[in-house]
């Protein structure tokens, strides 16, 4: 009974809050809790005092190491001293390239407050990213509000993001608009049977369903198929003189 | 309220002896202090405190003064950057939970297990474990306040718990006892910060003080049970080799954290030799201190001499 109780309490307590990130190389949470003896040697060898051992009340399994990106992010040391220090393998020494660490995944979670989404050039999360231009890129998008500016949207790419938390740490807002979350929360998953047509076509070296009829697009008849770009001052040939519409059109039956 | 007020010797002895007996009843070890002096009557207790606190200080030198002789805590540590030490009870649970620890941990666990297997597992309890000071304080206060009664669980509870924690580790796939273990919580708390885990340590203190005399270390703690198993062939043992001088003052029983271990040696119950071979004996040496007749001394398990 007691053992079962302890086990249940353990299962309950192992539901750690999303902002608590495990050190690099940490085994999946369930295996981690079987391997980590809570000695704190990883904490001692962390040169930046990023890692700390949880205390009872932190809602992280008591005595296990974690960090919060918003407070002190992981500096992604090349030699990964925390992993080397772990005597049990709770931090897996298979991880030798810190760029392959997957501590969590940054998500630009609030597009309503992110300054770049408001059309400004904050860019701080992008600038501080240790994997700049891979893990976070700035994607150029037309700004429909002013209609004459661009928005440079910070965009996280999961295949490169280590979850170090530097972006979240440096977000200039009082509450970070970009946050590192556990992959389970941050990522969706495609169904196994989904196929992307353009990927399949690339792989097959051509369309799998033969050439398709290409219907003309009104106003773009003089363009190459698919070219919908609009140059400044471009006037579609068919609309040359704009006539008044509606009741001013002068139309008579 | 004095305990002497409701304890009467069966045969009224001579007046002077009666007064000394009465004071003995009040404070175990009072006679020893009178005969041997305070220092000798607390020799092993002081030595133990020096060792316990010394080990703790070794761990604290790093976080306090940046002097990293020992890193980590009792669960696993690295001394001078070369000597790994790991708690074998934790490793047992980790393996039960389905993990194969790295060789550092296995080596560290092997060194610790070999040391305690050779010299006596429960030396950990009385000479290393920080909770010992908590429960000793509770036991002392309990005697001073004359608190009696309560509910003491069977002394085998800890061995059941030992089995159950290993089983729970296997069933839940996590190191089960670490969710509640007051020993690691206290030690880790002192070195890395407590959070709310001081509450668990306070719980152990209050349990020993109010509910069960010597309840935690002597009846419940599965970690102590694990080291008790390693204590089966302990080299260091207490002998009652001068048991012929025993005057039945019962002081040793009053202070012993595992009083059941004394009788076979002292009173030759089910054994002839005066060695305390029971695996529950922690070799704390408190019985040696409090005995005014110097009945006990520390020796090896091969020394069955009697004088």
């Amino acid at each position: 009974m007691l053992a079962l109780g302890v086990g249940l309490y353990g299962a309950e307590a192992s539901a750690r809050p999303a902002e608590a990130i495990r050190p690099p190389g940490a085994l999946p949470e369930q295996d981690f809790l079987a391997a980590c003896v809570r000695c704190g040697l990883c904490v001692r060898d962390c040169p930046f005092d990023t890692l700390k051992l949880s205390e009872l009340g932190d809602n992280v399994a008591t005595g296990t190491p974690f960090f919060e990106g918003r407070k002190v992010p992981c500096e992604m040391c090349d030699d990964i001293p925390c992993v080397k220090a772990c005597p049990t393998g709770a931090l897996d020494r298979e991880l030798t390239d810190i760029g392959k660490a997957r501590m969590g995944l940054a998500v630009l979670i609030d597009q309503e407050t992110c300054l770049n989404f408001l059309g400004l050039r904050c860019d701080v999360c992008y600038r501080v990213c240790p994997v700049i231009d891979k893990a976070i890129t700035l994607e150029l998008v037309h700004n429909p509000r002013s209609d004459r500016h661009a928005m440079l949207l910070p965009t996280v790419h999961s295949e490169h993001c280590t979850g170090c938390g530097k972006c979240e740490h440096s977000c200039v807002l009082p509450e970070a608009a970009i946050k590192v979350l556990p992959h389970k929360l941050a990522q969706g998953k495609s169904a196994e049977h989904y196929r992307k047509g353009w990927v399949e076509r690339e792989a097959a070296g051509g369309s799998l369903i033969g050439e398709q009829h290409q219907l003309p697009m009104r106003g773009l008849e003089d363009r190459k198929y698919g070219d919908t770009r609009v140059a400044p001052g471009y006037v579609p040939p068919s609309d040359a003189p704009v006539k008044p519409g509606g009741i001013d059109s002068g139309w008579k039956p | 309220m004095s305990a002497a007020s409701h304890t009467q010797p069966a045969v009224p002895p001579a007046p002077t002896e009666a007064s000394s007996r009465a004071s003995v009843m009040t404070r175990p070890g009072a006679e020893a202090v009178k005969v041997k002096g305070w220092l000798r009557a607390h020799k092993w207790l002081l030595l133990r405190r020096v060792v316990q606190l010394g080990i703790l200080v070794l761990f604290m030198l790093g976080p306090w003064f940046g002097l990293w002789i020992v890193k980590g805590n009792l669960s696993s540590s690295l001394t001078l950057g070369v000597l790994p030490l790991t708690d074998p009870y934790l490793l047992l649970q980790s393996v039960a939970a389905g993990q194969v620890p790295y060789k550092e941990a296995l080596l560290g666990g092997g060194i610790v297990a070999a040391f305690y297997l050779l010299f006596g597992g429960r030396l950990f309890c009385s000479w290393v474990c920080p909770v010992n000071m908590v429960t000793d304080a509770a036991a002392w206060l309990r005697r001073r306040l004359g608190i009696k009664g309560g509910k003491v669980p069977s002394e085998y509870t800890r061995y059941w718990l030992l089995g159950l924690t290993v089983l729970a580790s296997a069933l839940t796939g996590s190191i089960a006892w670490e969710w509640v273990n007051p020993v690691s919580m206290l030690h880790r708390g002192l070195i890395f910060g407590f959070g709310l885990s001081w509450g668990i340590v306070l719980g152990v203190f209050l349990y020993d003080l109010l509910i069960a005399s010597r309840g935690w270390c002597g009846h419940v703690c599965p970690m102590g049970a694990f080291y008790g198993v390693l204590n089966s062939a302990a080299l260091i043992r207490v002998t009652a080799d001068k048991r012929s001088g025993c005057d039945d003052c019962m002081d040793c029983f009053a202070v012993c954290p595992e009083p059941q271990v004394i009788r076979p040696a002292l009173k030759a119950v089910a054994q002839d030799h005066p060695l305390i071979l029971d695996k529950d004996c922690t070799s704390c040496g408190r019985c040696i201190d409090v005995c005014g007749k110097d009945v006990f001394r520390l020796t090896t398990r091969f020394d069955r001499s009697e004088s």
Side-chain angles (χ1 to χ4, degrees):
Chain A
M1 278 295 280
L2 195 82
L4 200 69
V6 167
L8 283 174
Y9 161 65
E12 180 84 17
S14 60
R16 104 193 109 93
E19 62 269 24
I21 305 167
R22 291 292 184 204
L27 299 176
E29 188 67 4
Q30 190 59 51
D31 295 337
F32 185 82
L33 292 177
C36 175
V37 295
R38 313 173 183 206
C39 64
L41 286 174
C42 54
V43 174
R44 290 299 180 224
D45 281 8
C46 175
F48 297 98
D49 288 338
T50 300
L51 295 176
K52 54 184 181 177
L53 288 191
S54 77
E55 296 166 2
L56 195 62
D58 282 343
N59 285 325
V60 179
T62 308
T64 57
F66 75 105
F67 71 97
E68 287 166 85
R70 186 66 170 164
K71 290 181 181 158
V72 191
C74 171
E75 296 287 340
M76 288 177 58
C77 310
D78 280 336
D79 53 346
I80 330 181
C82 51
V83 172
K84 281 186 187 155
C86 179
T88 64
L91 306 182
D92 193 344
R93 287 184 200 160
E94 294 286 305
L95 180 75
T96 50
D97 173 7
I98 190 66
K100 296 215 166 71
R102 292 293 175 267
M103 296 170 264
L105 182 61
V107 181
L108 205 154
I109 206 162
D110 191 356
Q111 305 186 351
E112 292 175 342
T113 52
C114 171
L115 295 178
N116 277 39
F117 268 83
L118 296 177
L120 283 85
R121 289 295 304 276
C122 163
D123 297 2
V124 167
C125 56
Y126 163 78
R127 292 280 164 208
V128 300
C129 178
V131 203
I132 184 169
D133 281 328
K134 286 182 183 158
I136 302 185
T137 57
L138 292 178
E139 299 295 322
L140 197 68
V141 172
H142 176 68
N143 184 344
R145 186 173 53 79
S146 72
D147 211 19
R148 68 194 65 195
H149 297 97
M151 298 191 292
L152 284 90
L153 304 183
T155 307
V156 179
H157 303 277
S158 63
E159 69 267 40
H160 294 294
C161 175
T162 62
C164 72
K166 295 214 86 167
C167 52
E168 180 179 352
H169 176 68
S170 55
C171 179
V172 302
L173 299 178
E175 179 73 41
I178 190 165
K179 289 184 159 81
V180 175
L181 299 176
H183 286 91
K184 181 117 181 85
L185 286 182
Q187 273 186 307
K189 191 181 175 199
S190 276
E192 291 288 330
H193 63 282
Y194 286 6
R195 297 286 179 269
K196 290 168 184 157
W198 57 95
V199 175
E200 299 296 319
R201 188 174 60 199
E202 191 86 17
S207 172
L208 299 175
I209 51 173
E211 282 309 309
Q212 300 299 296
H213 283 293
Q214 295 179 354
L215 299 174
M217 290 182 83
R218 193 184 305 160
L220 298 175
E221 290 87 353
D222 56 337
R223 300 291 193 85
K224 194 168 168 275
Y225 179 77
D227 182 4
T228 57
R229 288 172 301 172
V230 177
Y234 171 79
V235 181
S238 56
D239 293 2
V242 180
K243 294 174 192 157
I247 56 171
D248 300 327
S249 68
W251 182 83
K252 289 213 174 60
Chain B
M1 182 181 74
S2 165
S5 62
H6 50 79
T7 41
Q8 282 291 320
V11 183
T16 51
E17 207 180 319
S19 58
S20 89
R21 176 62 57 91
S23 73
V24 163
M25 287 297 186
T26 324
R27 295 283 303 275
E31 192 196 345
V33 171
K34 201 177 285 175
V35 176
K36 305 193 283 191
W38 190 90
L39 210 59
R40 267 196 66 215
H42 292 84
K43 179 177 139 192
W44 291 104
L45 181 66
L46 290 171
L47 265 174
R48 268 190 320 117
R49 293 293 179 254
V50 167
V51 172
Q52 284 167 338
L53 292 169
I55 290 172
L56 203 54
V57 164
L58 275 180
F59 278 98
M60 304 297 291
L61 282 178
W64 278 354
F65 306 111
L67 207 60
W68 295 104
I69 296 168
V70 185
K71 273 195 251 186
N73 57 36
L74 284 178
S75 302
S76 190
S77 64
L78 191 64
T79 303
L80 295 171
V82 286
L83 175 68
L85 295 173
T86 303
D87 180 4
Y89 175 48
L90 277 172
L91 290 184
L92 177 67
Q93 292 175 80
S94 182
V95 169
Q99 287 294 318
V100 183
Y102 282 161
K103 64 178 189 304
E104 281 89 338
L106 293 175
L107 179 66
I111 293 170
V112 172
F115 175 85
Y116 284 120
L117 203 55
L118 181 63
F119 293 102
R122 294 212 71 193
L123 288 172
F124 171 80
C125 299
S126 55
W127 291 79
V128 179
C129 181
V131 171
N132 173 265
M133 285 183 269
V134 175
T135 56
D136 270 2
W140 176 83
L141 197 60
R142 193 179 161 94
R143 279 199 303 273
R144 287 303 293 268
L145 298 176
I147 298 171
K148 301 269 185 254
K151 190 168 168 22
V152 184
S154 156
E155 63 178 278
Y156 297 108
T157 306
R158 52 185 155 184
Y159 293 103
W160 283 105
L161 260 178
L162 173 60
L164 284 172
T165 52
V166 176
L167 186 68
S169 296
L171 292 177
T172 63
S174 70
I175 300 178
W177 189 243
E178 281 311 289
W179 294 108
V180 287
N181 190 357
V183 176
S184 57
M185 284 204 186
L186 174 57
H187 197 252
R188 194 172 48 232
L190 289 168
I191 298 169
F192 289 92
F194 270 105
L196 299 174
S197 45
W198 59 268
I200 289 191
V201 179
L202 180 69
V204 167
F205 178 81
L206 292 177
Y207 176 71
D208 267 27
L209 178 67
L210 302 173
I211 300 174
S213 168
R214 295 288 183 182
W216 185 263
C217 298
H219 300 80
V220 179
C221 179
M223 202 166 164
F226 177 83
Y227 283 98
V229 174
L230 293 186
N231 207 28
S232 306
L235 183 65
I236 296 173
R237 296 280 56 171
V238 173
T239 180
D241 65 339
K242 296 207 189 73
R243 58 191 174 187
S244 51
C246 173
D247 64 353
D248 292 336
C249 73
M250 303 293 281
D251 280 3
C252 53
F253 287 93
V255 296
C256 180
E258 305 275 357
Q260 74 277 8
V261 308
I262 297 178
R263 231 165 77 85
L266 187 62
K267 297 295 161 197
V269 177
Q271 72 177 43
D272 294 329
H273 59 83
L275 269 179
I276 297 178
L277 289 179
D278 195 305
K279 68 179 186 300
D280 290 342
C281 172
T282 67
S283 304
C284 69
R286 195 71 185 112
C287 54
I288 307 173
D289 282 348
V290 299
C291 183
K293 306 288 178 199
D294 276 336
V295 167
F296 301 96
R297 67 183 171 88
L298 273 182
T299 182
T300 70
R301 69 182 295 109
F302 306 111
D303 173 16
R304 299 197 169 190
S305 64
E306 190 173 348
S307 55

